[in-house]
């Protein structure tokens, strides 16, 4: 910072006392006039808009330091535009290695900036205290008109470990006061049907995104209420037990906008669990209404629980099998998932998936990403597969152990063959073997 | 002038391929081979009894070999910075030699000793023999950065000059007239201590499954090569139940302590391959074990924070859970998952586990089930695993927890299914955990699902004689993969903000084309993309795995993703 004329030196250190205000203003004005003469720039004269722009690039801590420089910069620090987004990090030293948002900062935000906040998220570690602290803050955001709210567990889902009523009441404060919620991420929380009703009652016109995977207290009726009323909903994430034909029909109704993204987690609580089926006609209705929508399905099932799935055509685009999935099921996937874009198989068994892979290459003409772990595919079949869809594969992630050498290809030349058909250098994913 | 030499053994506990020793013997009148034992080391450091025992075996073996050459090993208690000035004076030393240690802590220690040596007028001879190559050259060839993917590493290796031949073994011919002054009190003053003397309780200790020492190492090398030749197959062996058991041809602990020279191993493998495959050029995969080791040494050598998450420029900052109770269950084999517990039991008892077993337990601790920091797992391995040294251990843990090296995180090892596929009968579990013997193969991997009659018949009630599973794997892995996705999604947010100085990500496309040794197979080798390898800085990238549109390879960035704007994160 350039040193000004003698009379202005007091300005350079920290904030000024009230008595110097007048002197300051005059000096500033004088200097500004002098600037126009000299053509020299002075930091103090930086217009607020520019300061704001610069501050937006600074991490919070640096901005806080900058705010200590002078009154002008301090004012800029507290401008509403800088407080639209905030991410509260709530960690306890006993359960996390990461630092938490300073409690004084939190107090200051609630006091001075709660009406500026629009995009807020809470990241909590696995301790109950952190989840409760998040809810305490939420309860105080009465003047907020939030557009986005995210409740994110960074480790174990601690929102599930706190008293449900405390959580619900905090959430309800936001739902009632915001009235313009557009995005809501409340996965792994004890949200329930009544609170969803409150959400809908206040935000049905604005809600576009709702992520609520693994919310065990919600019922199919609860989510149906959301779909019926929130016609602007474009993204939805939930568990399979909440999915129903009625829900899909509601999302495909004329009043409803095109759905862009539907994510469904199919999770088995106990081995041998029975899952209901969704009619093909419901999926067809969705497809007609929203021809481009992404249907993302995560399966965490035991091998023998796949009975109801993939019997009919289903418009799934992204499939993730988190546990072992049988050859048979993968065969059905090839037959019934023509829109498939991405396929990830964590584990299969020890019989080669050659036929199944080839079929998927033939029939899933949109496939562009595939990941295989703990399976077996013969090298020849794999090369065949890549020949068929190599030109559209942007992501080919195969664990090294998957490829079984045969009479035509060994492990040392397979990557070369595959690279040829992919048009870029490719290697399987390797794991250290020392 | 009389030349008195000290050779300082740290790793490199061998007389074959020991170029620093060999070179310093030239023209020496006296030679004393020393090993410095830090007196506080045994009690406080994180090293378990098996590792100490292995080390002591190595030292005894060295001493025995030196005896045959009319010399002895001098084991000296103390810290190097205290010991050396004393020895320089007492023994009138003018020459010091040791094998180069590439690890950051080693380099620092050696710099201090170099200084002391210079002050005392002692000439220092250092040679590289713990790694195949000069690691600094590898880094230089890669544009002054260590390669962060194994593929890139292999590509750079292909451009290096050939590995240097192992140095001649120290024999009496090599020693010639060089003598070692040995006093009568040598055993008392400088003898190799026993485990008891170091303060360990040895009652009930079983015989070492992995006996230490150069002699044992060389014997195993021969057996290892014999087995390969007999099989005439240099492919990666198929994993089966037997692979899990300690192998009499296993070499990793010997490579770590330096009882076996990696260069000797390298050349013997090459010779054997050429003999069996009639002079074809060996593929890089032949040296897999050695190259992985080299890879981790290279990434670690200039990074003193390599074994930490905080402050480590190549490590993704993941919000791991602090949970000492859960960690203890894992470390002590009380997780309730027989597969995991059997592996951890073998590790504790014998000091070695198969690399796929390592993947299984590492995944379980970190990104698979317990969501505990890889640093904790690394410390447990450091204590128990014979072949875990600083670079390789830390690097592997970062790899296995998907904290670095662009490792894909979608695949998670199931603590039930993975074991079952490897060893369907469950023999490994029965051998490690005898009280599980009564369980039939059907339930041995998930005994909590066994009906009461089966448990009673096996005389092992779950919850009483054996713990219930400490997590629900499906639930835990579901949650954890979401967490990993969140983290990687956030990283991709940094992309456009110029905040990539921390993350030197490697663009997949920057890989050069195929390595050069393809002449023999008749394929024309494409032009190598020289320019790419010499790029000084990694381009700010695209976390290679499309973290935008797809399911696991990147969840769709939501409509209103600016609430995740990293500028507002207070993690500073």
């Amino acid at each position: 910072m350039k040193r000004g004329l003698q009379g202005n030196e007091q300005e350079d250190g920290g904030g000024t006392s009230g008595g110097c205000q007048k002197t300051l203003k005059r000096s500033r004005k004088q200097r500004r006039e002098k600037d126009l003469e000299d053509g020299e720039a002075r930091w103090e004269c930086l217009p607020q808009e520019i300061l704001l722009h610069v501050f937006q690039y600074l991490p919070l801590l640096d901005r806080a330091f900058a705010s200590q420089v002078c009154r002008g910069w301090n004012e800029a620090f507290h401008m509403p535009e800088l407080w639209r987004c905030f991410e509260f990090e709530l960690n306890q030293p006993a359960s996390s290695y990461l630092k938490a948002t300073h409690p004084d900062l939190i107090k200051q935000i609630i006091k001075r900036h709660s009406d500026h906040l629009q995009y807020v998220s809470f990241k909590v570690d696995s301790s109950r205290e952190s989840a409760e602290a998040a809810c305490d803050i939420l309860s105080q955001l009465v003047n907020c008109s939030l557009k986005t709210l995210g409740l994110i567990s960074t480790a174990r889902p601690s929102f599930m470990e706190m008293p449900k009523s405390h959580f619900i009441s905090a959430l309800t404060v936001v739902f009632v006061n915001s009235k313009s919620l557009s995005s809501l991420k409340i996965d792994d929380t004890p949200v329930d049907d009544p609170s969803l009703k409150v959400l809908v009652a206040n935000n049905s016109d604005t809600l576009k995104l709702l992520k609520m995977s693994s919310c065990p207290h919600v019922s199919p009726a609860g989510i149906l209420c959301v779909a019926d009323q929130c016609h602007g909903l474009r993204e939805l994430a939930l568990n399979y037990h909440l999915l129903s034909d009625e829900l899909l029909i509601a999302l495909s109704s004329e009043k409803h906008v095109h759905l862009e993204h539907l994510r469904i987690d199919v999770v088995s609580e106990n081995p041998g669990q029975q899952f209901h089926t969704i009619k093909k006609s419901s999926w067809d209705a969705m497809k007609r209404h929203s021809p481009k929508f992404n249907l993302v399905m995560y399966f965490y099932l035991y091998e023998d629980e796949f009975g109801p799935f993939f019997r009919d055509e289903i418009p799934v685009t992204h499939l993730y099998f988190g546990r072992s999935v049988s050859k048979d099921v993968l065969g059905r996937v090839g037959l019934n998932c023509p829109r498939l874009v991405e396929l990830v198989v964590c584990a299969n068994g020890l019989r080669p998936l050659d036929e199944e892979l080839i079929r998927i290459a033939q029939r899933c003409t949109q496939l562009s990403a595939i990941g295989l772990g703990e399976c077996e595919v013969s090298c020849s079949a794999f090369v065949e597969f890549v020949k068929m869809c190599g030109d559209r594969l942007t992501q080919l992630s195969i664990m090294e152990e998957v490829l079984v050498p045969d009479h035509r290809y060994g492990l040392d030349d397979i990557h070369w063959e595959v690279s040829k058909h992919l048009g870029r250098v490719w290697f399987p994913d390797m794991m250290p073997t020392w | 002038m009389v030349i008195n030499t000290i050779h300082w053994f740290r790793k490199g506990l061998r007389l074959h391929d020991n170029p620093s020793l060999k070179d310093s013997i030239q023209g020496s009148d006296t030679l004393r081979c020393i090993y410095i034992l830090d007196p506080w080391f045994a009690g406080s450091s994180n090293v378990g009894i098996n590792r100490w025992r292995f080390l002591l075996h190595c030292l005894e073996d060295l001493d025995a070999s030196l005896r045959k050459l009319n010399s002895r090993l001098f084991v000296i208690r103390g810290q190097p910075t205290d010991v050396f000035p004393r020895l320089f004076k007492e023994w009138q030393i003018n020459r010091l030699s040791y094998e180069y240690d590439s690890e950051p802590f080693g380099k620092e220690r050696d710099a201090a000793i170099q200084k002391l040596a210079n002050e005392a007028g002692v000439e220092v001879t250092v040679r590289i023999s713990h790694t195949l190559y000069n690691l600094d050259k590898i880094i230089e060839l890669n544009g002054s950065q260590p390669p962060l993917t194994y593929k890139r590493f292999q590509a750079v290796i292909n451009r290096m000059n050939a590995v240097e031949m192992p140095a001649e073994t120290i024999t009496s011919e090599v020693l010639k007239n060089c003598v070692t002054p040995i006093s009568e009190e040598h055993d008392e003053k400088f003898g190799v201590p026993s485990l008891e003397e170091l303060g360990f309780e040895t009652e009930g200790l079983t015989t070492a499954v992995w006996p230490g020492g150069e002699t044992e190492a060389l014997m195993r090398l021969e057996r290892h090569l014999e087995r390969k030749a007999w099989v005439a197959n240099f492919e990666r062996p198929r994993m089966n139940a037997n692979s899990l058991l300690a192998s009499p041809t296993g070499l990793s602990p010997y490579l770590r302590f330096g009882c076996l020279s990696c260069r000797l191993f390298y050349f013997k493998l090459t010779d054997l391959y050429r003999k069996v495959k009639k002079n074809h050029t060996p593929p890089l995969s032949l040296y897999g074990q050695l190259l992985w080791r080299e890879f981790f040494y290279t990434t670690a050598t200039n990074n003193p924070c390599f074994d930490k998450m905080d402050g480590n420029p190549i490590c993704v900052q993941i919000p791991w859970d602090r949970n000492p109770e859960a960690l203890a269950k894992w470390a002590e084999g009380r997780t309730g998952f027989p597969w995991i517990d059997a592996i951890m039991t073998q590790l504790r008892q014998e000091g070695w586990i198969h690399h796929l077993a390592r993947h299984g337990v590492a995944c379980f601790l970190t990104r698979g089930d317990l969501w505990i920091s890889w640093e904790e797992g690394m410390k447990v391995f450091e204590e128990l695993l014979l072949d875990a040294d600083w670079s390789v251990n830390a690097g592997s843990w970062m790899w296995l927890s998907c904290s670095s090296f662009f490792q894909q995180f979608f695949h998670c090892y199931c603590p039930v299914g993975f074991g079952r596929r490897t060893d369907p009968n469950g023999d490994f579990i029965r051998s490690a955990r005898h009280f599980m013997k009564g369980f039939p193969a059907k339930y041995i991997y998930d005994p909590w699902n066994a009906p009461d009659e089966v448990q009673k018949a096996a005389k092992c009630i779950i919850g009483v004689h054996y713990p219930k599973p400490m997590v629900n794997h499906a639930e835990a892995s579901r949650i954890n993969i979401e967490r990993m996705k969140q983290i990687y999604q956030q990283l991709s947010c940094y992309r456009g903000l110029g905040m990539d100085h921390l993350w030197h990500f490697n663009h997949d496309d920057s890989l050069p084309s195929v390595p050069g040794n393809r002449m023999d197979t008749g394929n024309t080798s494409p032009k190598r993309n020289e320019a790419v390898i010499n790029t000084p800085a990694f381009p700010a990238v695209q976390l290679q795995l499309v973290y935008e549109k797809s399911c696991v390879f990147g969840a769709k960035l939501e409509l209103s993703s600016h609430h995740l704007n990293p500028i507002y994160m207070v993690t500073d």
Side-chain angles (χ1 to χ4, degrees):
Chain A
M1 209 138 88
K2 277 198 187 138
R3 290 263 153 203
L5 308 166
Q6 275 145 333
N8 304 324
E9 263 156 18
Q10 67 224 42
E11 212 183 309
D12 291 333
T16 50
S17 61
C20 298
Q21 268 296 79
K22 273 196 182 153
T23 332
L24 193 61
K25 278 191 182 144
R26 250 186 290 131
S27 309
R28 214 188 265 161
K29 187 165 180 252
Q30 280 174 342
R31 263 183 294 110
R32 231 178 250 141
E33 283 162 2
K34 197 163 188 335
D35 276 351
L36 298 171
E37 285 171 33
D38 298 347
E40 264 184 49
R42 301 206 191 279
W43 287 106
E44 317 80 85
C45 309
L46 211 55
Q48 289 284 46
E49 307 81 58
I50 301 210
L51 209 50
L52 175 65
H53 191 70
V54 172
F55 274 18
Q56 277 173 335
Y57 283 97
L58 290 178
L60 185 60
L61 198 60
D62 293 343
R63 240 185 290 149
F65 285 138
S67 75
Q68 301 294 301
V69 165
C70 65
R71 191 169 283 240
W73 285 30
N74 195 276
E75 277 169 20
F77 178 64
H78 284 291
M79 284 172 73
E81 290 86 335
L82 290 173
W83 297 96
R84 299 240 182 277
C85 303
F86 200 80
E87 182 160 84
F88 293 92
E89 293 202 51
L90 301 163
N91 301 314
Q92 309 297 318
S95 44
S96 170
Y97 298 96
L98 299 179
K99 291 187 226 140
T101 310
H102 201 282
D104 290 342
L105 176 59
I106 297 180
K107 280 202 198 98
Q108 203 183 59
I109 291 175
I110 295 177
K111 206 170 101 176
R112 286 182 77 158
H113 298 292
S114 57
D115 21 340
H116 304 149
L117 290 173
Q118 286 179 346
Y119 309 98
V120 173
S121 59
F122 291 85
K123 279 168 114 178
V124 300
D125 67 6
S126 46
S127 68
R128 216 175 89 153
E129 292 98 318
S130 299
E132 288 185 345
C135 290
D136 285 336
I137 299 172
L138 268 181
S139 310
Q140 295 180 66
L141 299 181
V142 278
N143 295 320
C144 280
S145 195
L146 292 184
K147 295 210 171 93
T148 299
L149 175 64
L151 299 179
I152 301 165
S153 320
T154 59
R156 282 200 313 276
S158 43
F159 285 110
M160 297 300 295
E161 286 165 32
M162 60 178 290
K164 179 165 174 272
S165 49
H166 184 188
F167 177 80
I168 298 293
S169 59
L171 203 57
T172 313
V173 166
V174 175
F175 288 171
V176 167
N177 285 288
S178 287
K179 300 205 195 304
S180 57
L181 268 176
S182 160
S183 285
L184 186 61
K185 280 176 69 145
I186 44 176
D187 311 89
D188 292 301
T189 61
V191 65
D192 56 10
D193 289 356
S195 40
L196 283 184
K197 277 214 174 79
V198 176
L199 168 69
V200 167
N202 290 284
N203 300 280
S204 60
D205 295 335
T206 48
L207 195 66
K208 295 198 179 83
L209 180 151
L210 176 60
K211 293 197 152 243
M212 36 172 277
S213 300
S214 300
C215 293
H217 299 292
V218 177
S219 77
I223 190 68
L224 190 55
C225 167
V226 176
D228 277 335
Q229 307 282 337
C230 303
H231 300 138
L233 198 62
R234 291 194 244 169
E235 286 193 38
L236 181 61
L238 40 60
N239 277 27
Y240 192 75
H241 76 271
L242 293 181
L243 192 67
S244 59
D245 296 301
E246 292 79 23
L247 181 65
L248 292 179
I249 302 295
L251 290 171
S252 325
S253 83
E254 257 180 22
K255 295 177 278 179
H256 214 103
V257 302
H258 296 307
L259 194 72
E260 292 184 16
H261 198 83
L262 176 62
R263 169 176 161 166
I264 302 171
D265 284 16
V266 190
V267 184
S268 162
E269 312 284 326
N270 301 299
Q273 193 170 330
Q274 300 291 338
F275 292 91
H276 62 283
T277 41
I278 300 291
K279 298 197 194 111
K280 182 171 181 304
S281 51
S282 312
W283 288 121
D284 288 344
M286 277 294 304
K287 244 184 6 187
R288 273 194 305 271
H289 183 76
S290 313
K292 298 212 184 101
F293 88 111
N294 284 329
L295 176 58
V296 179
M297 297 185 78
Y298 282 73
F299 283 88
Y300 292 94
L301 301 183
Y302 291 91
E303 270 198 35
D304 52 359
E305 291 168 337
F306 278 94
F309 299 102
F310 306 108
R311 297 279 171 202
D312 285 320
E313 203 179 279
I314 178 174
V316 62
T317 51
H318 298 75
L319 259 186
Y320 178 83
F321 291 103
R323 302 187 69 131
S324 182
V325 60
S326 69
K327 237 167 103 71
D328 187 49
V329 172
L330 288 174
R332 300 207 301 263
V333 165
L335 282 177
N336 291 314
C337 305
R339 289 178 86 222
L340 196 63
V341 168
E342 176 178 308
L343 174 65
V344 178
V345 178
C346 265
N348 174 253
L350 288 176
R351 285 157 60 218
L353 294 174
D354 297 3
E355 273 172 35
E356 289 74 15
L357 257 194
I358 303 288
R359 183 188 292 165
I360 287 173
Q362 278 167 344
R363 300 187 53 140
C364 303
T365 55
Q366 309 296 316
L367 190 74
S368 63
I370 184 162
L372 299 177
E374 274 184 76
C375 317
E376 283 198 3
V377 180
S378 73
C379 286
S380 309
F382 187 65
V383 171
E384 198 53 43
F385 171 79
V386 179
K387 266 196 202 146
M388 292 169 77
C389 48
D391 52 341
R392 42 189 164 94
L393 282 179
T394 53
Q395 184 70 35
L396 182 60
S397 194
I398 312 293
M399 304 270 303
E400 208 182 1
E401 289 97 26
V402 167
L403 300 170
V404 179
D406 54 28
H407 55 279
R408 285 181 66 198
Y409 301 102
L411 285 178
D412 291 314
D413 44 10
I414 181 109
H415 80 269
W416 177 224
E417 266 309 301
V418 172
S419 302
K420 266 193 339 213
H421 296 296
L422 272 186
R424 59 176 191 272
V425 177
W426 178 87
F427 286 89
D429 290 348
M430 302 192 205
M431 296 287 262
T433 59
W434 88 103
Chain B
M1 192 180 73
V2 177
I3 308 233
N4 299 317
T5 302
I6 288 183
H7 178 78
W8 182 18
F9 279 111
R10 300 94 66 84
K11 297 177 193 170
L13 303 174
R14 61 178 184 268
L15 295 179
H16 71 273
D17 191 23
N18 197 332
S20 50
L21 173 55
K22 181 166 169 300
D23 287 352
S24 72
I25 286 178
Q26 297 258 2
S28 290
D29 296 290
T30 69
L31 169 72
R32 290 177 179 83
C33 294
I34 71 170
Y35 185 90
I36 300 182
L37 207 56
D38 191 324
W40 311 120
F41 202 56
S44 62
S45 90
N46 188 24
V47 176
I49 192 172
N50 279 327
R51 297 228 328 198
W52 272 112
R53 181 165 51 170
F54 193 94
L55 174 64
L56 295 180
H57 282 170
C58 293
L59 296 180
E60 276 160 12
D61 190 73
L62 260 185
D63 192 33
S65 305
L66 284 168
R67 253 195 246 239
K68 292 186 190 136
L69 302 174
N70 287 325
S71 181
R72 292 296 301 273
L73 179 69
F74 291 68
V75 177
I76 302 181
R77 317 272 186 119
Q79 300 220 333
T81 39
D82 298 325
V83 163
F84 276 111
R86 190 169 41 92
L87 294 183
F88 288 160
K89 226 165 145 192
E90 212 177 290
W91 292 341
Q92 314 222 307
I93 299 296
N94 24 37
R95 235 187 231 176
L96 170 64
S97 63
Y98 53 79
E99 178 186 70
Y100 179 70
D101 184 344
S102 67
E103 297 184 328
F105 166 71
K107 289 199 288 194
E108 211 182 291
R109 171 201 60 199
D110 292 348
I113 302 304
Q114 278 260 2
K115 193 150 169 277
L116 286 173
N118 287 340
E119 282 161 17
V122 173
E123 180 196 328
V124 180
T125 304
V126 186
R127 297 282 181 270
I128 293 173
S129 52
H130 191 66
T131 49
L132 295 173
Y133 298 97
N134 179 343
L135 305 180
D136 293 330
K137 281 234 157 56
I138 298 179
I139 293 174
E140 200 188 299
L141 256 189
N142 194 48
S144 310
Q145 297 276 3
L148 283 187
T149 63
Y150 190 61
K151 309 163 194 180
R152 195 172 175 111
F153 177 76
Q154 285 182 311
V156 175
I157 290 293
N158 262 309
R159 298 183 68 217
M160 297 280 291
N161 291 329
V163 174
E164 271 184 41
M165 296 288 291
E168 203 188 324
T169 306
I170 310 297
T171 55
S172 20
E173 281 83 49
V174 173
L175 271 179
K176 279 206 214 81
N177 300 321
C178 184
V179 294
T180 305
I182 303 172
S183 73
E184 281 189 0
E185 301 112 13
H186 182 98
D187 284 328
E188 260 174 62
K189 285 168 85 174
F190 304 115
V192 178
S194 67
L195 277 174
E196 291 85 356
E197 280 163 31
L198 287 179
F200 284 101
E201 184 57 65
T202 55
E203 201 177 298
L205 194 62
T206 49
T207 345
V209 174
W210 296 82
E214 182 185 5
T215 314
E216 175 74 22
L218 290 172
M219 207 164 52
R220 282 175 173 250
L221 177 63
E222 286 312 309
R223 270 190 247 141
H224 182 99
L225 296 168
E226 262 166 33
R227 183 195 263 189
K228 269 204 149 71
W230 181 67
V231 173
N233 173 16
F234 294 88
E235 304 280 357
R236 178 193 289 238
R238 310 284 300 142
M239 178 76 169
N240 58 38
N242 257 339
S243 330
L244 293 166
L245 301 171
S247 161
T249 60
L251 296 172
S252 52
Y254 304 92
L255 286 167
R256 182 236 177 261
F257 280 89
C259 313
L260 173 63
S261 153
C262 57
R263 304 195 296 197
L264 180 66
F265 186 22
Y266 180 91
F267 279 103
K268 291 249 169 178
L269 268 179
T270 312
D271 288 342
L272 181 65
Y273 186 89
R274 288 215 164 100
K275 217 168 36 177
V276 172
K277 298 274 187 177
K278 310 283 185 280
N279 272 326
H280 276 171
T281 313
L284 276 183
S285 57
L286 179 68
Y287 313 108
Q289 190 179 10
L290 290 173
L291 289 181
W292 275 108
R293 182 178 168 271
E294 198 89 359
F295 171 74
F296 288 125
Y297 278 128
T298 312
T299 14
T301 185
N302 291 331
N303 184 356
C305 296
F306 192 68
D307 62 342
K308 296 187 256 296
M309 176 173 82
D310 194 28
N312 184 349
I314 65 161
C315 185
V316 178
Q317 306 294 305
I318 297 178
W320 304 113
D321 215 8
R322 261 197 220 268
N323 193 337
E325 213 183 290
L327 173 63
K329 286 189 181 157
W330 174 83
E332 292 159 24
R334 294 184 282 120
T335 63
F337 289 89
W339 169 242
I340 303 291
D341 293 341
I343 295 172
M344 295 306 286
T345 304
Q346 184 190 33
L347 175 60
R348 191 170 287 275
Q349 283 175 355
E350 299 178 14
W352 178 91
I353 47 179
H354 188 272
H355 71 260
L356 285 177
R358 295 175 205 205
H359 298 170
V361 298
C363 182
F364 185 86
L365 180 73
T366 57
R367 63 187 179 86
D369 294 74
L370 300 185
W371 199 251
I372 288 177
S373 170
W374 59 270
E375 291 180 62
E376 302 296 344
M378 178 190 75
K379 288 181 198 144
V380 172
F381 270 30
E382 190 183 8
E383 185 196 336
L384 303 174
L385 185 62
L386 289 175
D387 59 33
D389 65 14
W390 192 83
S391 311
V392 179
N393 194 18
S396 302
W397 272 94
M398 278 194 278
W399 190 293
L400 297 174
S401 62
C402 292
S403 297
S404 191
F405 309 116
F406 318 106
Q407 183 54 19
Q408 290 284 5
F409 59 81
F410 69 83
H411 166 247
C412 174
Y413 292 97
C414 176
V416 172
F418 181 53
R420 190 173 267 154
R421 278 184 288 279
T422 308
D423 173 18
N425 210 33
D427 295 323
F428 174 69
I429 294 182
R430 291 200 192 83
S431 72
R433 311 305 296 265
H434 304 293
F435 57 81
M436 302 291 290
K437 268 201 172 92
F439 270 94
K442 182 166 180 205
Y443 293 110
I444 197 164
Y445 286 97
D446 50 352
W448 57 89
N449 285 330
D452 289 336
E453 319 81 65
V454 175
Q455 293 187 27
K456 281 207 187 89
K459 297 202 186 63
C460 181
I461 310 291
I462 302 306
V464 177
H465 304 107
Y466 183 70
K468 292 204 184 121
M470 66 185 288
V471 286
N472 176 331
H473 174 72
E475 189 54 16
S477 59
R478 179 193 68 75
I479 291 172
N480 291 341
I481 194 158
E482 255 335 280
R483 307 291 170 253
M484 290 301 281
K485 262 176 54 191
Q486 269 167 29
I487 289 149
Y488 277 87
Q489 220 178 339
Q490 237 160 37
L491 284 179
S492 69
C493 283
Y494 276 93
R495 249 193 304 131
L497 294 168
M499 284 180 150
D500 43 39
H501 53 280
L502 284 183
W503 313 113
H504 299 284
F505 285 126
N506 207 348
H507 204 298
D508 217 5
D509 294 347
S510 72
L511 282 174
S513 26
V514 174
N517 56 351
R518 306 219 48 83
M519 311 304 176
D520 44 290
T521 59
N523 290 333
T524 44
S525 88
K527 259 202 314 229
R528 271 201 224 108
N529 195 347
E530 304 273 346
V532 168
I533 295 184
N534 294 325
T535 316
F538 292 8
V541 245
Q542 190 115 316
L543 199 40
Q544 52 160 285
L545 329 161
V546 191
Y547 282 110
E548 269 107 8
K549 293 293 173 198
S550 49
C551 162
V552 157
F553 294 121
K556 177 163 200 284
L557 287 181
E558 290 88 34
L559 288 180
S560 319
S561 61
H562 48 251
H563 70 272
L564 289 178
N565 193 329
I567 288 178
Y568 299 97
M569 270 184 247
V570 194
T571 27
D572 350 290

